[in-house]
């Protein structure tokens, strides 16, 4: 016999309403209570009747996820975490790729998937704040990423300025002074590159260094080939940099490839920092120092924001602007000059003296 809502309530020692709030993802439940109810749900194997519940509420149990690029490692990893979190809430996710196209973003926000979707998570690259605000008035919307029009819709993102400042300060602490930046995108209005450039320049100025336009490389996208082209341009310039802050790990990996092909030793000749902490960077040679956003927390907080809007449509709480923690993960691409070589020598010596 299948378990019922009141069985879960009895097991957890709470009211049926509290169990319902947990199942619906309400933020009004204390975290300790939520965990106790979730444990009871797992122990009893309770599964809500989603079709009946959504039918009564006029909902579908389907949400949308709109990201610029499906093949992007960062967005791919984030999408996986978002789907996992949505499944925990018994939601189905429809994923769409916008490629940063204004019409694709506008279609999703204005038509809402033919109103199949109860809400939408979107990383907007092209739409202006006015259109985002208008859409959020008719469809629960949560913005993912760096666009920050105040009061438009709930937004979940890292502090790009602070993160870029920290990455650049790390390079300065290594004694690097000719620090280039790869990833400026003046053709986009989503704010990501502008904020990371701001943090990069702020760190330089604090160290008494004037930003040099010839060391700020523009790119059309944040892919490996763009990083490779930018690094080629920097190395062919008058004075080559001794460090690079790349605005994405993909850009950094493309830069690393060109450095190797040109005989530039990383990290001895060139220290390199990326952004996003994607899996490929952990297995590059050398492994990539990077800014690591807490992607799991981005997924959890974004889904909670969306649940609050879906289940409380008359909610008068103003849109929230949530800043998610980040950390700088230091790996081989910024080891002090000579340290990576010495470490490799010790490893080889240890391997040769190990018993067979």
């Amino acid at each position: 016999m299948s378990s019922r809502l009141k069985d879960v309530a009895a097991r957890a020692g709470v009211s049926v309403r509290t169990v319902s709030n947990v199942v619906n993802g309400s933020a009004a439940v204390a975290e300790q209570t939520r965990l106790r109810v979730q444990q009871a749900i797992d122990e009893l194997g309770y599964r809500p009747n989603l079709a009946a519940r959504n039918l009564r509420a006029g909902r579908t149990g389907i949400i949308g996820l709109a990201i610029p690029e499906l093949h992007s490692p960062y967005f791919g990893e984030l999408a996986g975490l978002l789907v996992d979190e949505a499944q925990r809430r018994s939601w189905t996710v429809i994923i769409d790729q916008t490629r940063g196209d204004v019409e694709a973003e506008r279609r999703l926000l204005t038509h809402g998937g033919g109103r199949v979707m109860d809400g939408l998570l979107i990383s907007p690259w092209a739409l202006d704040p006015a259109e985002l605000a208008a859409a959020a008035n008719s469809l629960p919307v949560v913005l993912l990423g760096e666009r920050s029009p105040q009061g438009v819709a709930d937004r979940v993102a890292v502090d790009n300025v602070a993160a870029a400042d920290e990455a650049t300060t790390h390079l300065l602490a290594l004694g690097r002074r000719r620090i280039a930046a790869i990833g400026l995108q003046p053709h986009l209005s989503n704010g990501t590159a502008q904020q990371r450039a701001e943090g990069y320049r702020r760190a330089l100025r604090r160290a008494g260094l004037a930003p040099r336009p010839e060391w700020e490389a523009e790119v059309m996208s944040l892919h490996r080939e763009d990083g490779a082209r930018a690094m080629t341009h920097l190395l062919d310039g008058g004075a080559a940099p001794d460090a690079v802050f790349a605005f994405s790990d993909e850009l950094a990996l493309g830069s690393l490839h060109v450095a190797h092909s040109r005989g530039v030793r990383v990290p001895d000749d060139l220290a390199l920092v990326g952004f996003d902490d994607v899996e490929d960077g952990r297995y590059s040679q050398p492994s990539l120092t990077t800014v690591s956003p807490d992607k799991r927390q981005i997924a959890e907080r974004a889904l909670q924001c969306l649940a609050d809007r879906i289940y409380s449509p008359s909610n008068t709480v103003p849109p929230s602007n949530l800043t998610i923690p980040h950390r700088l993960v230091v790996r081989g691409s910024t080891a002090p000059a000579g340290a990576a070589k010495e470490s490799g020598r010790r490893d080889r010596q240890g391997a040769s003296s190990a018993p067979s």
Side-chain angles (χ1 to χ4, degrees):
M1 180 173 143
S2 60
S3 299
R4 297 167 294 176
L5 208 66
K6 66 179 184 179
D7 299 323
V8 176
R11 173 68 67 92
V14 299
S15 68
V16 170
R17 172 62 66 90
T18 298
V19 176
S20 178
N21 286 340
V22 172
V23 170
N24 289 329
S26 171
V29 181
E31 184 61 22
Q32 187 175 4
T33 303
R34 187 190 304 277
L35 293 174
R36 192 164 73 248
V37 171
Q38 188 60 52
Q39 182 178 354
I41 289 172
D42 295 340
E43 290 173 353
L44 294 173
Y46 171 73
R47 293 293 179 269
N49 187 331
L50 296 178
R53 186 182 74 188
N54 289 324
L55 183 62
R56 287 193 299 269
R59 294 189 291 263
T60 65
I62 299 172
I63 63 169
L65 171 59
I67 54 179
E69 299 172 333
L70 288 172
H71 66 276
S72 160
Y74 171 77
F75 283 114
E77 292 179 17
L78 181 59
L81 292 168
L82 286 164
V83 169
D84 288 344
E85 180 66 15
Q87 288 176 342
R88 192 181 71 79
R89 297 172 179 271
S90 301
W91 284 345
T92 298
V93 182
I94 297 175
I95 301 177
D96 207 334
Q97 176 177 254
T98 66
R99 300 188 184 279
D101 177 71
V102 65
E103 289 302 326
E105 293 179 0
R106 184 177 292 131
R107 171 178 52 80
L108 284 167
L109 282 165
T110 56
H111 299 296
R115 283 297 178 263
V116 171
M117 301 183 303
D118 293 332
L120 177 67
L121 304 164
I122 182 170
S123 179
W125 277 10
L127 283 178
D128 61 49
E131 288 187 278
L132 290 169
N137 286 331
S138 58
L139 176 72
V141 174
V142 175
L143 307 180
L144 303 170
E146 291 67 45
R147 192 183 188 99
S148 56
Q150 295 295 320
V152 168
D154 292 318
R155 169 183 172 268
V156 180
V158 299
D159 185 337
N160 278 285
V161 177
D165 186 325
E166 186 175 348
T168 309
T169 298
H170 171 64
L171 293 170
L172 289 163
L174 297 174
R176 310 294 171 135
R177 289 298 180 267
R178 303 190 309 277
I179 303 174
I182 293 179
L184 283 81
Q185 295 181 290
H187 61 287
L188 289 182
S189 59
N190 68 342
T192 307
Q194 292 94 323
Q195 291 172 17
R196 293 178 187 177
E198 180 183 345
Y200 157 78
R201 293 167 185 153
R202 187 172 75 182
L204 290 181
R205 292 191 180 103
R206 192 170 57 246
L209 301 174
R212 296 175 56 168
E214 67 270 25
W215 283 347
E216 295 185 355
E218 297 179 3
V219 297
M220 288 303 297
S221 64
L222 303 179
H223 300 154
R224 290 172 175 84
E225 57 267 28
D226 297 278
R229 280 193 291 269
M231 179 59 84
T232 299
H233 176 74
L234 288 171
L235 293 179
D236 288 342
D242 61 7
V244 166
F245 168 45
F247 292 5
S248 79
D249 282 355
E250 281 199 85
L251 290 173
L253 291 169
S255 303
L256 181 62
H257 173 78
V258 168
H260 281 324
S261 69
R262 300 283 288 268
V264 176
R265 300 169 301 167
V266 177
D268 295 72
D269 303 326
L270 180 81
L272 180 62
V273 177
F275 202 116
D276 290 336
D277 193 16
V278 302
E279 188 175 16
D280 286 353
R282 299 166 212 163
Y283 294 94
S284 62
Q285 184 57 40
S287 56
L288 185 62
T289 293
T290 183
V291 174
S292 179
D294 190 336
K295 294 188 279 286
R296 183 169 298 279
Q297 190 171 156
I298 290 173
E300 292 172 353
R301 299 296 295 275
L303 266 295
Q304 184 61 62
C305 285
L306 195 63
D308 291 345
R309 298 297 174 183
I310 291 173
Y311 295 119
S312 302
S314 60
N315 192 347
T316 58
V317 176
S320 56
N321 193 16
L322 303 179
T323 300
I324 302 302
H326 67 270
R327 62 192 178 98
L328 183 68
V329 180
V330 178
R331 300 194 181 107
S333 67
T334 61
K341 184 186 298 183
E342 180 61 28
S343 174
R345 183 181 301 115
R346 287 196 302 268
D347 289 344
R348 288 191 298 271
Q349 290 172 346
S352 64
S353 60
S356 57

